[in-house]
């Protein structure tokens, strides 16, 4: 590390800042459904996720090698290019966090690298084959595969539960909440294994361009440790805005669905990490949540929210790339350009943070959308008094609720149900009472 220059040090720090934003931006991937179903308290959930993200960072370096030696050509790439790429990725991460959109931090980073490289050396600096096979194809396949797996897993869990408990899903809800905790831990471990490596790969690439490491080198131990700590700290901070969208804004999940979604997503992410595919954990988990929402009988997906997510996914690569290309144009002007880009990054980040303070979301109100959405208000039935939303109410039920007059004054809190004696059946059994 004695050969690291001031510019290289700035790039390393900026990469760790991106890793930090990656952590709080993607916390929802692991913990949104666990928090929304009440399996874990919000602060406990993000704390557990942070620890497992740190552990996952030490499990593999395959994805890091894909980025540091595959996505772009190391020869002819200046350290300033990596700095510009990170600026584009960080600003896009913060912008989508402000909007509560679970976009892909991975694709923001890839877009930044591609845009800055194209501005610096042209198309010769980007390995198009790697971009297609290890970025674009997985980006299209991951949400589909995870969604189908979660849909099938959800139907299977409900079918098993009905067979065991005579159709009473509430009997197994507690067990599935415990399963959610385990599956959420698996997603967190997978996220650390996949996403922390991306920052390791960027830092390693910067060290190669700075002449500190030879091309094709694996990330040094201090790079692995620092990247793991940065993503863990970001995870613990909690991206509460995105957690709200994933947990309650996309669909209403019961514990069975949460367990199926997280298990399916974790399987897809771990398999891709083993193969060296730089997969978007956000897209995998979002696809799994939608699949789980459709897998329950009567379950719904809020397609307006899903459409906003799809648009953000499509814009991530080009938007981060354009910002990074502009930043690279400025850094290419010399030292003053690098200073200007750094100032713009700090000012933009501060402006987004100040805008987020207008309507803050934290662990105290992350489930406000679900808690305040009672059956009467939203037209959904609650899950057996658990406080969580369940099956949508029928049209007749909703219409009756809409025209039912309010109870008379002074009747609040009283049992207004009336009982009507049922006629005795032909067997002579005592008449039972029906409640209406």
């Amino acid at each position: 590390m004695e050969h690291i220059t001031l510019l290289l040090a700035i790039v390393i720090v900026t990469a760790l800042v991106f890793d930090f934003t990656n952590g709080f931006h993607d916390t929802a991937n692991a913990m949104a459904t666990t928090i929304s179903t009440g399996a874990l308290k919000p602060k406990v959930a993000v704390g557990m996720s942070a620890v497992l993200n740190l552990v996952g960072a030490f499990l593999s370096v395959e994805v890091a090698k894909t980025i540091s030696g595959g996505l772009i050509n190391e020869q002819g790439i200046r350290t300033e290019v990596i700095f510009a790429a990170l600026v584009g990725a960080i600003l896009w991460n913060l912008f989508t966090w402000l909007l509560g959109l679970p976009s892909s931090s991975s694709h923001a980073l890839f877009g930044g690298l591609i845009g800055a490289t194209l501005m610096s050396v042209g198309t010769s600096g980007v390995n198009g084959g790697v971009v297609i096979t290890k970025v674009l194809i997985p980006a299209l396949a991951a949400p589909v595969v995870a969604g189908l797996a979660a849909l099938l897993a959800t139907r299977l869990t409900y079918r098993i539960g009905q067979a065991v408990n005579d159709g009473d899903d509430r009997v197994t809800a507690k067990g599935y909440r415990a399963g959610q905790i385990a599956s959420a831990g698996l997603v967190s471990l997978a996220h650390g294994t996949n996403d922390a490596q991306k920052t390791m790969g960027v830092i390693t690439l910067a060290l190669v361009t700075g002449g500190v490491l030879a091309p094709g080198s694996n990330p040094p131990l201090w790079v692995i440790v620092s990247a793991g700590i940065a993503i863990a700290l970001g995870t613990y901070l909690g991206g509460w805005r995105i957690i709200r969208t994933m947990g309650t804004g996309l669909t209403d999940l019961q514990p069975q669905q949460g367990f199926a979604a997280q298990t399916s997503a974790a399987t897809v992410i771990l398999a891709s990490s083993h193969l060296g595919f730089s997969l978007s954990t956000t897209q995998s988990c979002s696809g799994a949540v939608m699949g789980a929402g459709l897998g329950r009988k009567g379950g719904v997906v809020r397609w307006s929210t899903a459409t906003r997510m799809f648009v953000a996914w499509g814009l991530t690569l080009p938007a981060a790339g354009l910002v990074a290309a502009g930043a690279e144009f400025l850094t290419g002007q010399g030292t003053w350009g690098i200073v200007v880009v750094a100032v713009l990054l700090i000012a933009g980040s501060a402006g987004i943070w100040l805008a987020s303070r207008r309507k803050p979301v934290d662990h105290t109100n992350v489930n406000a959308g679900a808690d305040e959405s009672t059956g009467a208000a939203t037209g959904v039935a609650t899950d057996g008094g658990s406080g969580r939303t369940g099956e949508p109410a029928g049209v007749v039920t909703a219409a009756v609720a809409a025209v039912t007059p309010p109870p008379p004054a002074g009747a609040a809190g009283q049992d207004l149900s009336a009982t009507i004696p049922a006629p005795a059946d032909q067997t002579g059994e005592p008449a039972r009472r029906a409640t209406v």
Side-chain angles (χ1 to χ4, degrees), residues 248-274:
T248 62
L250 192 56
T251 185
D252 297 316
L253 293 179
Q254 296 176 346
Q256 295 92 323
Q257 295 168 280
F259 172 75
Q262 290 170 321
T263 303
S264 302
T267 302
V268 172
I269 296 167
L270 287 173
S272 70
S273 297
H274 179 71

Side-chain angles (χ1 to χ4, degrees), residues 1 43 50 107 148 432:
M1 296 179 62
K43 294 297 287 184
H107 289 177
L148 289 175
R432 292 176 292 178

Side-chain angles (χ1 to χ4, degrees), residues 24 35 42-43 97-100 237-246 248 353 355-369:
F24 74 73
I35 293 171
K43 294 297 287 184
W97 163 78
L98 177 65
L99 300 179
L237 180 65
W240 304 110
R241 292 172 178 272
I242 300 176
I243 289 176
R244 172 183 284 185
T245 299
M246 287 278 286
T248 62
W353 183 83
S356 72
R357 295 301 88 197
R358 295 178 181 177
K359 292 183 179 180
V361 180
D362 56 26
H363 68 281
T364 63
N365 64 353
V366 66
N367 279 337

Side-chain angles (χ1 to χ4, degrees), residues 141-190:
V144 175
V145 173
L148 289 175
L151 187 150
L152 295 176
T154 299
R155 292 186 176 178
L156 180 62
T157 56
Y158 276 108
R159 184 164 298 179
I160 292 174
Q162 289 173 351
V164 172
N165 299 297
D166 296 327
D168 188 359
D169 293 328
R170 290 174 294 180
V171 177
T172 57
K174 185 176 181 180
Y176 277 113
R177 285 193 177 95
Q180 268 194 283
I181 297 174
S183 60
L186 188 60
V187 174
S188 297
L189 194 69

Side-chain angles (χ1 to χ4, degrees), residues 5-68:
T5 63
L6 176 60
L7 177 60
L8 190 54
I10 292 174
V11 171
I12 292 172
V13 171
T14 307
L16 294 177
V17 170
F18 165 77
D19 204 23
F20 180 82
T21 66
N22 191 351
F24 74 73
H25 196 281
D26 291 0
T27 306
N29 296 338
M31 291 300 169
T33 58
T34 305
I35 293 171
S36 68
T37 60
L40 282 177
K41 294 182 178 179
K43 294 297 287 184
V44 175
V46 296
M48 184 184 90
S49 183
V51 172
L52 291 173
N53 266 278
L54 178 60
V55 173
F58 292 88
L59 297 184
S60 173
V61 294
E62 292 302 318
V63 174
K65 290 192 291 186
T66 295
I67 294 175
S68 64

Side-chain angles (χ1 to χ4, degrees), residues 129-150:
V130 175
V131 172
I132 293 173
T133 58
K134 292 200 172 185
V135 176
L136 296 182
I137 291 178
L140 297 175
V144 175
V145 173
L148 289 175

